[in-house]
C-alpha cells in the first residue's frame, strides 16, 4: 500500500509547545512525515490506513484543539473568539482592580470581589485549564499549565479566606483575574503578530481566489478559478488577473509578473507564449488555453514550497525546542522551591510565600523561546519570496548565512545563455543543409540554452529535414540520436584541445561530421555580483564543462581566481566535495548537467529559466533572472539568522533575569503577567522588523 498525505486545519495552537504536543501524539500513533505548524494552523502526515483518520481527529480535539473542514468558510463561535474572551474578562477585572485606588468601600467587600472574579476565573478555567490538562496528557506541558496553576492558587487562597472570614490579607481575587486577563491580552497580541509573519503565503494565496472568463461555443461564462480544467479556453482582458497557467492562443499583452519575480517591468507576451496564473495583464487582450491547474500550477507549487520551507527547522531552533520542552517542569520546580524557602527558611509567611511562588509561575515565558525561530524564518522567507527568491527550506537559511564559497556554472548563469552561432565547419564532403537539418532535429529534443539558441538561429538557414527515431540527452556530454535509417549521431562538447574556437562537434557513426563555433555574452551585473560576494568575505568559484580558454576568459573579466573547466557532472561533484570540506558551499547553476552538483552542495541555487531537473534539485530558485537577487538572498539569510539569535537571546535573558527577581519577591504576579505578555510581543516585533529592515 502506498502512503497517502493527510492535511488537516487545526486551530487553537498558539506556541511551539502546542505544536510539539500534537507532533508527539501523532508519532505515538506511528504516523510518518509529520509536519505541525502552529503559525499556519496546519497539520500534515502520511498514512497507509485511512480508517485511522477519525480517531486522529478525535485525539487532536482531545488535546484541546479544533479540527476544521475549510478555514476559508469557518467562523468561530462568539464565545470562542479570543477578542471576546478578553473584553468579557476586562469588564470584570477593571472594577476589581479599581478597589486598590478608589475609596468605594463596597468594592472591598469579599462577596463583591468574589462575584467579580468568578466569571473571569471560569473563562480562565475553560481557556487555560483545558489546554493545560491536554498538554500534560500529551507529554509536553505548555505555558497554560503555569498560568492555570498560578491563577487557581490565587483564587483558591482568596476563596478559603472568604469562607473562613480571615480578613483582607487573604484577599487576592484581583491577582487571579488580572493574571488571566493580561495573559489573554498577550495571546491576542501574539495571535495578530504571528498572522503578520505568515502574510507572504496568505498574499500569494489571494492570487488564487479570482474569477475567470471561460469561453464555451463562442459564449463567455464567469466561473471560479478553482473550477478551471486543463484544456479550457479562457479570455483575459486588460486589468484582469490571469486565472491559470496556460499558453496564448491569440492576442498580445503586457503582463506584470512582479508577484512572481519581484520585477516591476512588464513582460511582452505574444501568440504561443506561456503565461502564469496570478500575473496581471496590464495592456492587451489574450485568449489562452489552460495547461496547468490546481496543485500543478506554478503558483500552487510555490505556495506549497513556502509552507514546507516555513516548517523546516534550522539547526539553531533545536536548542530552543529542547529548552522549551523541559522549561515548564523546571519552572514548576523553581516555584515550589521558592514557596518552601520563603515559608520555612526565611519565615515569609503563607501570603508572601504563595505570592512569590505565583509570580515565578506567571512571569516565565517558554512561548517567547518557541516563537523566536519560526517567526523570524517566516518573515525572512516571505520577504525573499516577494523579491523573487524562493527558498525551499527554513533550514537552508542557516547554511546560507555561513557560506564561504559560491560555485558558479558558466553557461546561462554568469553568461546570458543566448548564444550566437559564429560558424559551422563541415568536415569532408557533407552537405551544409543536411548538417543544419541534423543539428536542428537533434537540438529540438533538448532544453539546454545552447540547444534552444541553435534551433532558433538555424531557422533562417537552408536545411534538409531529418527524421529521428529517438534522441536522448546525456548529462554533461551532449545528445545521442538515431535516424530512421539506423545512423547514429552524437552532438556535444568538443574535446579538440587544439582549436578552442569550436565548442561543439557533430559525429555520424563515430566519424566527425561538423564542428560548431558559438559565443556567449556575460550577463549584465555579473561583475558587480562577484565584487559584492568578495565584500561579504565569500570566495567565488567558476565550475564549467566548457573549454579552459573560454572559462579563463570569463573568469578574467569577472575577477574570479578559482577556475575549474572541462568538467563532467561526476567531476563537478568531486570539486564541490573539495570546497565543502573547507566551508559551507553554495552551487549556482541552470542546466540538466548541474543537477547532481546542485544536490551535492550544502545549498543549490537554480535560475528560474533553468531546466526542470535543475529547479527540482536546488534548495533555492531565483525567480528573477537578475543576478542581484542572489546577493539579496544572501543578505536576507544572514539577517534572518541574526534576528533568530537576537530573539533567542532576549527570550533566554528575560527568563534568566525575571525568574530570580520574582522568586526574591520583587515582582507581583500581576506585573509578572504583564511582563510575560510583553516578552512575546518583543520577540515577534523584532521578527517583523525584517519586513522593512535595510539589509546591509
Amino acid at each position: 500500500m502506498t502512503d497517502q498525505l493527510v492535511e488537516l486545519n487545526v486551530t487553537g495552537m498558539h506556541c511551539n509547545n502546542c505544536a510539539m504536543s500534537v507532533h508527539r501524539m501523532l508519532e505515538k500513533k506511528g504516523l510518518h512525515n509529520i509536519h505541525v505548524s502552529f503559525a499556519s494552523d496546519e497539520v500534515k502526515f502520511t498514512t497507509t490506513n485511512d480508517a485511522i483518520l477519525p480517531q486522529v481527529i478525535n485525539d487532536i480535539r482531545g488535546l484541546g484543539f479544533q479540527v476544521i473542514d475549510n478555514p476559508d468558510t469557518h467562523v468561530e463561535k462568539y464565545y470562542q473568539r479570543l477578542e471576546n474572551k478578553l473584553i468579557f474578562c476586562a469588564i470584570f477585572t477593571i472594577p476589581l482592580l479599581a478597589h486598590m485606588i478608589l475609596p468605594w468601600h463596597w468594592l472591598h467587600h469579599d462577596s463583591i470581589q468574589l462575584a467579580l472574579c468568578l466569571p473571569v476565573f471560569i473563562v480562565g478555567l475553560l481557556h487555560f485549564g483545558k489546554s493545560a490538562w491536554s498538554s500534560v496528557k500529551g507529554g509536553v506541558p505548555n505555558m497554560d499549565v503555569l498560568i492555570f496553576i498560578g491563577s487557581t492558587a490565587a483564587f483558591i487562597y482568596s476563596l478559603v479566606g472568604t469562607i473562613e472570614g480571615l480578613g483582607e490579607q487573604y484577599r487576592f481575587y484581583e491577582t487571579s483575574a488580572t493574571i488571566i486577563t493580561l495573559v489573554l491580552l498577550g495571546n491576542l497580541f501574539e495571535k495578530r503578530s504571528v498572522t503578520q509573519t505568515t502574510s507572504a503565503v496568505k498574499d500569494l494565496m489571494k492570487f488564487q481566489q479570482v474569477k475567470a472568463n471561460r469561453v464555451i461555443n463562442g459564449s463567455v461564462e464567469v466561473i471560479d478559478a478553482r473550477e478551471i480544467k486543463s484544456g479550457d479556453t479562457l479570455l483575459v482582458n486588460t486589468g484582469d488577473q490571469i486565472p491559470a497557467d496556460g499558453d496564448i492562443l491569440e492576442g498580445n499583452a503586457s503582463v506584470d509578473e512582479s508577484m512572481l519575480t519581484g520585477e516591476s517591468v512588464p513582460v511582452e507576451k505574444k501568440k504561443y507564449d506561456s503565461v502564469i496564473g496570478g500575473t496581471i495583464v496590464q495592456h492587451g487582450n489574450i485568449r489562452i488555453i489552460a495547461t496547468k491547474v490546481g496543485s500543478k500550477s506554478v503558483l500552487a507549487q510555490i505556495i506549497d514550497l513556502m509552507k514546507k520551507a516555513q516548517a523546516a527547522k534550522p539547526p539553531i531552533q533545536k536548542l530552543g525546542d529542547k529548552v522549551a520542552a523541559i522549561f515548564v517542569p523546571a519552572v514548576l520546580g523553581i516555584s515550589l522551591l521558592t514557596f518552601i524557602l520563603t515559608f520555612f527558611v526565611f519565615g515569609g509567611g503563607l501570603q508572601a510565600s504563595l505570592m512569590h511562588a505565583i509570580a515565578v509561575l506567571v512571569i516565565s515565558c517558554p512561548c517567547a523561546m518557541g516563537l523566536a525561530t519560526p517567526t523570524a524564518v517566516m518573515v525572512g522567507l516571505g520577504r525573499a519570496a516577494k523579491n523573487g527568491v524562493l527558498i525551499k527550506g527554513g533550514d537552508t537559511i542557516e547554511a546560507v548565512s555561513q557560506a564561504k564559497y559560491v560555485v558558479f556554472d558558466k553557461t546561462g548563469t554568469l553568461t546570458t545563455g543566448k548564444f550566437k552561432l559564429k560558424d559551422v565547419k563541415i568536415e569532408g564532403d557533407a552537405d551544409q543543409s543536411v548538417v543544419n537539418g541534423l543539428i536542428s532535429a537533434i537540438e529540438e529534443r533538448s532544453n539546454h540554452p545552447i540547444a534552444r539558441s541553435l534551433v532558433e538561429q538555424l531557422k533562417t538557414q537552408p536545411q534538409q529535414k531529418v527524421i529521428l527515431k529517438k534522441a536522448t540527452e546525456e548529462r554533461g556530454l551532449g545528445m545521442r540520436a538515431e535516424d530512421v535509417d539506423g545512423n547514429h549521431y552524437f552532438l556535444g562538447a568538443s574535446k579538440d584541445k587544439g582549436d578552442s574556437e569550436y565548442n561543439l562537434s557533430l559525429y555520424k557513426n563515430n566519424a566527425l561530421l561538423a564542428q560548431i563555433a558559438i559565443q556567449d555574452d556575460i550577463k549584465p551585473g555579473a561583475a558587480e555580483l562577484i565584487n559584492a560576494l568578495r565584500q561579504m568575505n565569500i570566495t567565488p568559484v567558476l565550475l564549467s564543462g566548457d573549454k579552459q580558454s573560454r572559462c579563463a576568459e570569463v573568469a578574467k573579466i569577472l575577477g574570479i581566481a578559482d577556475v575549474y573547466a572541462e568538467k563532467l557532472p561526476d567531476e563537478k561533484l568531486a570539486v564541490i566535495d573539495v570546497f565543502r570540506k573547507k566551508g559551507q558551499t553554495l552551487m549556482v547553476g541552470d542546466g540538466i548537467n548541474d543537477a547532481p552538483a546542485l544536490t551535492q552542495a550544502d545549498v543549490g541555487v537554480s535560475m528560474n529559466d533553468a531546466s526542470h531537473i535543475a529547479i527540482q534539485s536546488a534548495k533555492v530558485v531565483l525567480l528573477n533572472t537578475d543576478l542581484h537577487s542572489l546577493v539579496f538572498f544572501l543578505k536576507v539569510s544572514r539577517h534572518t539568522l541574526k534576528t533568530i539569535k537576537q530573539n533567542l537571546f532576549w527570550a533566554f535573558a528575560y527568563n534568566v533575569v525575571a525568574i530570580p527577581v520574582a522568586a526574591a519577591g520583587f515582582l507581583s504576579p500581576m506585573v509578572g503577567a504583564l511582563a510575560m505578555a510583553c516578552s512575546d510581543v518583543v520577540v515577534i516585533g523584532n521578527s517583523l522588523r525584517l519586513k522593512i529592515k535595510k539589509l546591509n
Side-chain angles (χ1 to χ4, degrees):
M1 295 178 68
T2 57
D3 283 348
Q4 289 186 318
L5 177 65
V6 177
E7 300 184 32
L8 301 175
N9 293 294
V10 179
T11 61
M13 300 183 293
H14 59 266
C15 70
N16 200 51
N17 278 48
C18 299
M20 285 172 68
S21 63
V22 176
H23 197 286
R24 186 167 293 185
M25 183 272 291
L26 295 174
E27 276 185 334
K28 287 179 180 177
K29 289 192 168 295
L31 300 171
H32 305 289
N33 302 316
I34 301 166
H35 153 54
V36 183
S37 171
F38 71 88
S40 58
D41 294 336
E42 284 187 328
V43 173
K44 295 181 182 180
F45 55 87
T46 56
T47 178
T48 55
N49 183 13
D50 287 342
I52 199 176
L53 187 56
Q55 185 58 46
V56 170
I57 291 174
N58 286 334
D59 289 344
I60 291 175
R61 286 174 177 155
L63 290 174
F65 309 116
Q66 277 189 296
V67 180
I68 58 177
D69 294 328
N70 187 348
D72 295 330
T73 58
H74 174 72
V75 179
E76 275 188 305
K77 294 177 181 176
Y78 181 83
Y79 57 84
Q80 291 177 329
R81 296 187 64 196
L82 192 58
E83 294 88 340
N84 296 336
K85 289 180 182 178
L86 174 61
I87 293 169
F88 178 82
C89 291
I91 290 171
F92 291 94
T93 303
I94 290 170
L96 194 56
L97 281 172
H99 89 278
M100 300 170 71
I101 55 174
L102 295 175
W104 298 344
H105 294 291
W106 62 272
L107 279 175
H108 294 253
H109 200 280
D110 283 3
S111 58
I112 297 293
Q113 291 202 10
L114 173 59
L116 289 170
C117 180
L118 188 59
V120 181
F121 180 68
I122 291 172
V123 170
L125 197 68
L126 295 172
H127 183 83
F128 298 112
K130 185 178 180 183
S131 170
W133 175 242
S134 300
S135 72
V136 170
K137 283 198 302 180
V140 188
N142 63 13
M143 182 67 202
D144 293 342
V145 173
L146 306 180
I147 303 305
F148 174 73
I149 292 175
S151 58
T152 302
F155 180 80
I156 292 175
Y157 181 80
S158 304
L159 185 62
V160 170
T162 298
I163 294 171
E164 298 291 331
L166 299 176
E168 77 175 51
Q169 68 267 29
Y170 276 80
R171 194 190 301 138
F172 287 96
Y173 289 114
E174 75 282 350
T175 298
S176 178
T178 306
I179 288 171
I180 291 168
T181 304
L182 285 177
V183 174
L184 284 173
L185 177 64
N187 285 355
L188 181 62
F189 284 152
E190 184 181 303
K191 177 185 173 184
R192 292 188 172 178
S193 298
V194 169
T195 299
Q196 286 187 334
T197 67
T198 58
S199 62
V201 170
K202 291 177 180 176
D203 288 346
L204 284 174
M205 291 176 74
K206 288 177 184 176
F207 287 107
Q208 295 178 309
Q209 301 162 4
V210 295
K211 299 293 182 182
N213 299 317
R214 181 163 62 188
V215 181
I216 299 180
N217 298 325
S219 61
V220 178
E221 64 172 352
V222 179
I223 60 170
D224 193 284
R226 283 176 287 194
E227 298 174 36
I228 299 172
K229 294 180 175 61
S230 183
D232 283 351
T233 301
L234 308 171
L235 180 65
V236 190
N237 300 315
T238 298
D240 288 351
Q241 186 174 301
I242 297 172
D245 294 4
D247 296 328
I248 298 177
L249 295 174
E250 59 181 74
N252 299 281
S254 297
V255 180
D256 178 2
E257 296 185 341
S258 58
M259 54 74 62
L260 185 71
T261 65
E263 179 57 59
S264 58
V265 178
V267 180
E268 297 300 321
K269 299 284 186 178
K270 60 185 184 302
K271 189 174 181 179
Y272 302 130
D273 284 347
S274 296
V275 290
I276 298 169
T279 57
I280 298 170
V281 174
Q282 287 195 341
H283 301 288
N285 304 84
I286 53 176
R287 201 171 278 219
I288 69 171
I289 182 170
T291 55
K292 294 177 184 176
V293 297
S295 61
K296 295 181 180 179
S297 70
V298 171
L299 185 58
Q301 289 178 1
I302 288 174
I303 291 170
D304 186 54
L305 283 171
M306 282 197 64
K307 286 180 178 179
K308 288 178 182 176
Q310 290 179 343
K313 296 179 181 180
I316 194 172
Q317 184 172 344
K318 293 176 184 176
L319 174 63
D321 284 354
K322 287 177 182 177
V323 174
I326 62 170
F327 191 85
V328 174
V331 169
L332 287 171
I334 293 170
S335 176
L336 180 61
L337 184 63
T338 299
F339 179 85
I340 292 170
L341 290 175
T342 307
F343 187 78
F344 292 103
V345 178
F346 300 109
L350 182 61
Q351 175 189 324
S353 303
L354 188 63
M355 288 300 105
H356 292 183
I358 292 172
V360 169
L361 290 174
V362 297
I363 202 166
S364 308
C365 191
C367 278
M369 282 183 280
L371 292 168
T373 300
T375 52
V377 168
M378 287 170 189
V379 176
L381 292 177
R383 182 167 179 183
K386 286 186 175 181
N387 287 271
V389 179
L390 179 59
I391 304 171
K392 295 185 183 179
D395 51 344
T396 300
I397 284 176
E398 190 166 347
V400 170
S401 62
Q402 299 168 356
K404 298 294 182 186
Y405 302 94
V406 176
V407 180
F408 292 95
D409 173 49
K410 181 179 74 69
T411 304
T413 304
L414 291 175
T415 60
T416 61
K418 296 177 182 177
F419 299 89
K420 296 175 184 175
L421 181 62
K422 288 175 64 179
D423 183 35
V424 176
K425 184 169 73 173
I426 307 298
E427 300 292 334
D429 57 355
D431 185 83
Q432 180 75 57
S433 62
V434 172
V435 171
N436 290 346
L438 273 171
I439 295 170
S440 294
I442 294 171
E443 296 291 56
E444 278 176 348
R445 308 290 186 95
S446 171
N447 285 322
H448 195 282
I450 293 178
R452 292 198 296 262
S453 297
L454 284 175
V455 171
E456 187 64 31
Q457 291 179 65
L458 284 172
K459 283 181 180 178
T460 59
Q461 303 284 338
Q463 53 182 276
Q464 185 174 317
K465 189 171 181 61
V466 177
I467 301 175
L468 298 178
K469 186 160 63 175
K470 65 178 181 179
T472 56
E473 187 165 2
E474 295 185 5
R475 292 183 181 182
L477 295 173
M479 297 287 296
R480 293 194 183 276
E482 181 184 352
D483 66 18
V484 292
D485 297 323
N487 294 305
H488 292 270
Y489 301 94
F490 175 76
L491 175 57
S494 173
K495 293 299 180 182
D496 180 7
K497 307 289 184 186
D499 190 354
S500 62
E501 182 183 359
Y502 291 91
N503 317 67
L504 302 174
S505 298
L506 174 63
Y507 292 86
K508 178 180 179 181
N509 299 325
N510 294 324
L512 184 62
L513 194 63
Q515 293 189 75
I516 305 160
I518 52 175
Q519 66 180 26
D520 187 12
D521 296 327
I522 293 173
K523 273 187 178 178
E528 290 84 350
L529 166 63
I530 300 303
N531 188 46
L533 291 177
R534 279 215 191 79
Q535 291 177 358
M536 298 169 73
N537 295 317
I538 296 174
T539 303
V541 179
L542 182 60
L543 174 62
S544 176
D546 204 352
K547 292 200 169 188
Q548 179 69 44
S549 59
R550 295 187 180 281
C551 291
E553 182 184 351
V554 170
K556 184 178 180 181
I557 294 171
L558 298 179
I560 298 175
D562 295 320
V563 181
Y564 296 83
E566 300 181 22
K567 298 297 180 185
L568 298 174
D570 57 330
E571 294 172 326
K572 286 186 177 183
L573 293 180
V575 174
I576 293 291
D577 275 338
V578 168
F579 283 101
R580 284 187 70 191
K581 288 173 184 174
K582 298 179 183 178
Q584 292 280 8
T585 302
L586 275 65
M587 170 72 192
V588 187
D590 75 320
I592 189 170
N593 60 317
D594 296 321
L598 290 170
T599 306
Q600 183 83 351
D602 292 303
V603 177
V605 182
S606 171
M607 314 300 286
N608 180 45
D609 53 356
S611 70
H612 177 73
I613 292 178
I615 290 175
Q616 291 298 312
S617 303
K619 290 183 180 178
V620 180
V621 180
L622 304 181
L623 300 175
N624 189 339
T625 53
D626 184 354
L627 285 173
H628 289 297
S629 59
L630 178 62
V631 176
F632 178 83
F633 156 60
L634 292 168
K635 288 181 178 178
V636 164
S637 298
R638 287 190 173 187
H639 280 271
T640 301
L641 185 65
K642 184 178 179 182
T643 302
I644 291 171
K645 289 179 178 178
Q646 290 170 347
N647 287 350
L648 286 172
F649 169 80
W650 286 115
F652 281 119
Y654 166 84
N655 286 290
V656 167
V657 173
I659 291 176
V661 170
F666 295 113
L667 288 176
S668 71
M670 289 182 288
V671 174
L674 182 62
M676 186 214 69
C678 290
S679 70
D680 283 358
V681 174
V682 167
V683 165
I684 297 172
N686 190 46
S687 295
L688 289 172
R689 280 196 315 127
L690 262 176
K691 280 190 173 184
I692 55 173
K693 186 179 181 183
K694 187 176 181 182
L695 305 180
N696 294 321

